[in-house]
Amino acid sequence: MPPPSAFDVEAATDTQAATFIERLSINGVSARRSKAPAVSTGLATYASSDMFKSPGYGKPKAKRWDHILSQESLMREFSSLKAASQLLKTPGLISLGGGLPSSTVFPFEYLEFKVPKPPNFSESETKDSDLLVRSGKHDAAEGKSIYDIHIAFNYGQATGSVQLLRFVTEHTEIVHHPPYQDWQCTLTVGSTSALEMALRTFSSRGDYMMTEEYSFCTALETASPLGVKCLGIKMDEEGLLPSHMDDILNNWSESARGAKKPFLLYTVPTGQNPTGATQSAQRRREIYAVAQKHNLYILEDEPYYFLQMQPYTGPNAPDVPPPSSHEAFLEALVPSLLSMDIDGRVLRMDSFSKVIAPGMRTGWITASAQIVERFVRHAEVSTQMPSGVSQLMLFKLLDETWGHAGYLDWLIWMRLEYTRKRDNIVEACERFLPREVASWVAPEAGMFHWIKVDWKKHPLIKEGKEMKLLDLEEKIWRAGVDSGVLTAKGSWFRAEGDGGEDMFFRTTFAASGEKDVVEAVGRFGKGLRVEFGLGESDEGVKGDTNGHSNEATHALSNGNTDGVTDGEPNGK
């Protein structure tokens, strides 16, 4: 007889969901938790967002998506071992059936790390902080915590730990409040993995996936070996153009395209990589309307959602005052596609990579219960779960130490930090880049500044010489490298692999120090001036470009982008 499913086992246990009617707020978390069943501190404890979220009375239920699930996804069944592990908490049961090692052989007695004390989040303030977070091996058994090394460092469920899943579920409801009943979250090992799983869940070889005409290259490279073709949708300063997507779908010809009409849209709505574009609330509503019209399913990849910044006011204008409260901060965020989704047609990918640390390799998705269940079945035989070390550190930081209020304080601080970084690079562009050939829009979110170069004004083009855009892009890019600055070619991000009609270069302001960013922009401006024969900038460029330019040029010839790509979309 097969082992009982996790859902059968849990139906009459203390993990039964509590009844919540009101919308969750930060101040309501404690009250909600007091009404909910206690979090189990056993090993491999079953977890579901339904244990922690509002049931959404009066909200519609998600549509079914059976018709777009791949054959691979439809064939996935419960993991026998994962299902059987739910019986471990049966009183008096002695397990000889599992493969969980005893924590007595884990060579770790405790984990300790220093963290910032809200609202003092800077690196120097953290260094001086006396806030040490500690987790012992048996804190749960000793009543000190609901999560410890004994639990976190062992095998767990593919949903992730119940402790961290509770936090991200509450966070999702506080921020997005999905407008349909049966939404759920499940943890992931980052958004690149989540995207690969999503493509395998929905797509078959030969299918098209629509995305921005300039899209994150790792996302494109994830789709390609799966046989998924990428179809670029035109963009403006607000990102993807829904009218162009609608036009393509209205006029789709299966015979001409050699494929069925696309049903999947992959988009990065906020601080899009590589362009830095952010879709307005109205733009997102228009995209969602087109998705409803053509019955599309949306993959909303949002690693930069909480890197939304203050409005850019210019070098001599006063700063816009920061959000005065948690409520003001949440109100200032552009509404997510998830928050507009009444059909359950959005799978949102979130990640701690850009707001905590990429090496955590921990994120989560939010989707309808049907889709989350398929994801969990996939994870049971692939990623298993995020690192227990990461989950424990995140739980101790976000839940036990900061709480939801402290985490929002951190995100507000991040907003202001990235505003300062963005302002620095935009002001440097205004100082050093030749406006005759370079143009840009100050990004509203994210880590990237997208610079357009009017390649048709290049002397070789003016002289009437035939030159392909990609060849001239390479020439201009190498001029930048020779001047001592490394940028990313826009062609690397073309969804359909061609050069397009315009020329762009992607720069980032996230990692380098402010002085180095200014210096780098100055060097890029120098390279542009040399290439276009424009003469020196009045500002001038200081610094030495010797030592690495030839090495960088050699390493990145033939499209080798190691060192300038970003690991993951989103997490990513």
Side-chain angles (χ1 to χ4, degrees):
M1 184 176 74
S5 75
F7 299 105
D8 293 333
V9 171
E10 296 300 324
T13 69
D14 63 358
T15 61
Q16 183 175 347
T19 299
F20 305 123
I21 299 176
E22 74 283 358
R23 175 173 179 170
L24 184 62
S25 66
I26 295 174
N27 294 332
V29 170
S30 296
R32 174 171 291 189
R33 289 186 178 185
S34 69
K35 299 175 184 176
V39 171
S40 172
T41 56
L43 295 178
T45 299
Y46 167 73
S48 168
S49 289
D50 289 343
M51 298 157 58
F52 313 117
K53 71 182 185 68
S54 164
Y57 295 128
K59 295 180 180 179
K61 286 194 172 182
K63 294 180 180 295
R64 296 284 302 181
W65 301 99
D66 307 76
H67 63 289
I68 62 172
L69 292 176
S70 68
Q71 188 63 30
E72 176 186 346
S73 180
L74 290 170
M75 291 181 67
R76 295 192 184 281
E77 299 180 354
F78 279 97
S79 163
S80 299
L81 292 175
K82 294 291 186 184
S85 70
Q86 304 312 309
L87 297 171
L88 290 173
K89 62 182 177 182
T90 304
L93 182 73
I94 300 175
S95 175
L96 300 180
L100 282 70
S102 168
S103 65
T104 60
V105 299
F106 296 172
F108 308 99
E109 185 59 30
Y110 68 86
L111 176 70
E112 187 175 71
F113 48 97
K114 180 184 284 191
V115 300
K117 182 184 294 184
N120 303 310
F121 292 116
S122 71
E123 187 174 44
S124 60
E125 289 171 323
T126 303
K127 185 177 180 180
D128 295 336
S129 170
D130 60 357
L131 186 53
L132 293 174
V133 175
R134 180 186 175 104
S135 179
K137 181 180 284 189
H138 300 293
D139 283 357
E142 296 169 2
K144 298 177 181 177
S145 178
I146 61 171
Y147 203 31
D148 59 18
I149 290 175
H150 167 73
I151 302 167
F153 286 23
N154 218 312
Y155 289 112
Q157 293 295 322
T159 54
S161 68
V162 63
Q163 293 85 352
L164 189 57
L165 182 64
R166 178 179 69 173
F167 184 88
V168 301
T169 300
E170 293 167 345
H171 173 78
T172 298
E173 186 167 357
I174 289 168
V175 176
H176 306 288
H177 195 58
Y180 66 97
Q181 284 188 33
D182 48 334
W183 62 273
Q184 293 181 354
C185 302
T186 188
L187 298 188
T188 68
V189 299
S191 292
T192 295
S193 171
L195 175 60
E196 192 264 353
M197 293 172 71
L199 291 176
R200 291 176 62 179
T201 297
F202 296 115
S203 301
S204 301
R205 300 191 76 84
D207 285 348
Y208 271 96
M209 175 182 76
M210 294 178 294
T211 186
E212 289 90 350
E213 61 178 327
Y214 292 91
S215 189
F216 182 60
C217 51
T218 298
L220 305 177
E221 292 157 0
T222 300
S224 179
L226 298 176
V228 177
K229 304 174 185 177
C230 292
L231 180 63
I233 305 299
K234 291 180 180 178
M235 304 174 69
D236 64 9
E237 64 275 5
E238 288 190 17
L240 184 148
L241 284 167
S243 58
H244 184 234
M245 180 167 64
D246 185 41
D247 184 61
I248 286 176
L249 295 171
N250 283 333
N251 296 287
W252 189 266
S253 170
E254 290 193 11
S255 58
R257 294 277 189 171
K260 62 185 178 182
K261 183 178 175 180
F263 58 85
L264 200 61
L265 169 64
Y266 168 77
T267 182
V268 181
T270 309
Q272 197 257 357
N273 187 357
T275 69
T278 295
Q279 297 168 10
S280 66
Q282 180 60 30
R283 176 63 57 87
R284 297 179 199 219
R285 285 189 283 268
E286 293 168 356
I287 290 171
Y288 191 82
V290 173
Q292 287 185 306
K293 175 182 176 181
H294 295 281
N295 204 23
L296 306 179
Y297 196 87
I298 301 173
L299 305 179
E300 180 185 25
D301 192 0
E302 281 284 36
Y304 313 107
Y305 186 74
F306 289 108
L307 299 186
Q308 295 182 49
M309 296 171 271
Q310 301 289 93
Y312 180 69
T313 57
N316 299 314
D319 294 335
V320 175
S324 58
S325 65
H326 297 141
E327 292 75 18
F329 169 66
L330 294 175
E331 282 292 322
L333 298 173
V334 181
S336 64
L337 287 166
L338 175 64
S339 73
M340 305 173 182
D341 183 20
I342 59 174
D343 300 330
R345 67 173 67 251
V346 174
L347 184 155
R348 178 183 171 89
M349 292 175 274
D350 278 285
S351 173
F352 289 114
S353 290
K354 300 301 189 289
V355 294
I356 298 294
M360 287 290 178
R361 307 312 316 131
T362 305
W364 72 98
I365 65 161
T366 306
S368 67
Q370 178 194 16
I371 301 306
V372 168
E373 188 271 340
R374 290 292 84 196
F375 250 73
V376 172
R377 298 290 81 79
H378 190 157
E380 285 174 344
V381 294
S382 57
T383 58
Q384 293 275 330
M385 65 177 191
S387 161
V389 180
S390 296
Q391 290 192 71
L392 181 58
M393 292 182 70
L394 286 167
F395 171 79
K396 298 295 287 188
L397 173 66
L398 300 177
D399 194 295
E400 281 195 352
T401 305
W402 284 355
H404 287 284
Y407 184 43
L408 291 189
D409 287 337
W410 167 257
L411 294 176
I412 292 171
W413 181 82
M414 290 280 284
R415 179 187 181 95
L416 301 179
E417 280 293 292
Y418 272 82
T419 297
R420 180 175 53 78
K421 290 173 178 287
R422 184 274 317 274
D423 290 354
N424 181 62
I425 195 170
V426 174
E427 291 168 12
C429 288
E430 292 173 353
R431 288 176 59 192
F432 294 118
L433 297 192
R435 292 278 192 170
E436 301 95 318
V437 297
S439 59
W440 58 87
V441 175
E444 298 176 14
M447 301 166 55
F448 305 110
H449 187 42
W450 189 238
I451 300 170
K452 182 178 181 179
V453 174
D454 189 349
W455 63 282
K456 294 179 181 179
K457 292 182 178 179
H458 193 276
L460 293 177
I461 303 298
K462 287 184 175 182
E463 292 170 7
K465 294 183 178 180
E466 290 188 11
M467 195 165 193
K468 294 180 180 179
L469 182 148
L470 292 179
D471 293 335
L472 190 54
E473 179 193 50
E474 169 75 7
K475 192 174 188 302
I476 294 172
W477 175 76
R478 284 180 179 271
V481 173
D482 291 341
S483 296
V485 61
L486 183 62
T487 61
K489 298 179 191 177
S491 62
W492 291 342
F493 304 94
R494 286 286 298 177
E496 298 186 30
D498 58 357
E501 298 177 356
D502 297 314
M503 184 183 296
F504 298 94
F505 293 90
R506 193 197 72 172
T507 62
T508 180
F509 49 88
S512 298
E514 292 183 18
K515 290 183 179 179
D516 285 343
V517 167
V518 172
E519 176 71 17
V521 170
R523 293 177 181 182
F524 184 61
K526 176 183 177 181
L528 287 178
R529 291 180 182 280
V530 170
E531 268 300 310
F532 284 84
L534 297 174
E536 289 291 335
S537 166
D538 292 338
E539 292 279 356
V541 183
K542 60 182 179 179
D544 181 7
T545 65
N546 294 327
H548 299 288
S549 59
N550 291 335
E551 178 183 347
T553 303
H554 175 73
L556 287 164
S557 62
N558 300 318
N560 182 352
T561 61
D562 291 348
V564 293
T565 54
D566 314 292
E568 300 200 6
N570 339 232
K572 260 175 107 203

